[in-house]
Amino acid sequence: MPKMPKKKCCVSKPRCKRCPIQMLKDGKLPEGYTVKKRKLVKVKKGSKKKTALAA
């Protein structure tokens, strides 16, 4: 099982493998999670992703 992302991005360059921003970019973020203001947050059930709204 892959490791969970960190709860907060440390803003280092280059980004570490568990950085939530990097995992979001690579598409490896676990289902039900997103990143807001460099922090890992859970998505509420019933909310839609931005990509789904743009289509």
Side-chain angles (χ1 to χ4, degrees):
M1 182 173 174
K3 288 190 174 186
M4 284 290 290
K6 293 179 179 179
K7 293 186 183 211
K8 185 177 177 186
C9 173
C10 59
V11 195
S12 64
K13 295 279 183 170
R15 303 253 190 242
C16 63
K17 292 182 180 183
R18 289 185 52 220
C19 177
I21 295 172
Q22 186 64 41
M23 289 183 83
L24 179 66
K25 180 182 173 188
D26 295 339
K28 297 179 182 178
L29 208 58
E31 189 68 30
Y33 287 94
T34 189
V35 180
K36 291 186 180 180
K37 297 183 181 179
R38 295 188 356 240
K39 293 185 180 181
L40 185 69
V41 293
K42 246 186 178 173
V43 177
K44 294 180 182 176
K45 290 185 179 181
S47 66
K48 296 181 181 179
K49 292 183 179 179
K50 281 188 175 179
T51 55
L53 294 174

